């Protein structure tokens, strides 16, 4: 049994994925606190299904969040504390980012156990 | 300027993304060589647009590859050396994996420079 998070437990497709790649600034002041707070908040959002997140030694990372619908993705984008965090992201935390909104049409998996 | 790969340079949507999350075995013999070879081969595939790849300290990782069409994703899935690699993946390299086939419907980005 794993004690760390692995594959997000998503339902049968179709559902949606937001692929957020980002390159962090060298000194992203306040990033960790806000990041934790956003994670708490997103878990309370209607339609949020789960996420997977990675960052490499160069400060480049990806967070993939999964959603039930496009409307619920939009509501999270317009959430007040999240709007503030998005502004901070542009001003302080990220050199660059890219957001891709995707419809998951098909999935399959393998488990050796 | 970055000397390491960051955001894949994808065209205007729509295009496709394959989100491959995997949990590696403790001793994945032959994994690195095959992984490098697959990376060479996939770059020669028609319709391959780019990729982003990450793995954390627990052996859990994600590779997102971007494609022009579903047909071209299928062709890569059926590529002979890749079929062999997929078999090895199940036998030796991965404890578990999940593949999500997605249509990228919309994207946007930010660059501070």
């Amino acid at each position: 049994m794993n004690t760390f998070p692995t594959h997000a437990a998503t339902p049968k497709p179709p559902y949606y994925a937001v692929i957020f790649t980002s390159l962090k600034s060298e000194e992203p002041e306040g990033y960790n606190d806000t990041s934790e707070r956003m994670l708490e908040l997103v878990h309370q959002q209607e339609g949020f299904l789960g996420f997977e997140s990675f960052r490499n030694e160069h400060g480049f990372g990806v967070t993939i969040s999964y959603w039930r619908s496009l409307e619920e993705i939009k509501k999270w984008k317009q959430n007040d504390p999240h709007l503030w965090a998005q502004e901070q992201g542009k001003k302080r935390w990220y050199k660059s980012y890219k957001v891709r909104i995707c419809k998951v049409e098909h999935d399959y998996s393998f488990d050796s156990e």
Side-chain angles (χ1 to χ4, degrees), chain A:
Chain A
M1 221 182 91
N2 307 313
T3 54
F4 48 86
T6 62
H7 315 280
T10 43
K12 263 184 70 171
Y15 55 91
Y16 289 82
V18 178
I19 304 173
F20 174 67
T21 48
S22 64
L23 182 61
K24 256 167 82 175
S25 302
E26 266 86 29
E27 295 183 31
E29 202 193 329
Y31 173 82
N32 287 342
D33 288 349
T34 307
S35 186
E36 277 177 32
R37 179 75 185 122
M38 289 305 116
L39 206 54
E40 281 173 30
L41 284 180
V42 78
H43 276 87
Q44 299 164 19
Q45 286 283 309
E46 283 283 323
F48 175 73
L49 301 173
F51 80 107
E52 292 142 353
S53 194
F54 302 85
R55 192 164 302 278
N56 71 19
E57 71 273 24
H58 305 295
F60 184 59
V62 67
T63 296
I64 310 168
S65 60
Y66 299 102
W67 298 85
R68 197 167 49 190
S69 73
L70 285 177
E71 291 67 34
E72 289 162 316
I73 292 171
K74 265 185 209 150
K75 276 191 196 154
W76 170 237
K77 191 170 195 285
Q78 290 157 3
N79 168 286
D80 276 336
H82 188 209
L83 281 174
W84 179 84
Q86 289 169 60
E87 273 313 300
Q88 299 301 306
K90 284 191 233 190
K91 277 189 207 157
R92 303 168 184 234
W93 298 329
Y94 299 121
K95 289 185 186 165
S96 63
Y97 64 71
K98 188 162 182 108
V99 178
R100 293 175 172 102
I101 316 283
C102 315
K103 184 177 190 176
V104 182
E105 298 185 341
H106 178 61
D107 67 14
Y108 58 94
S109 54
F110 164 78
D111 197 323
S112 62
E113 277 155 28

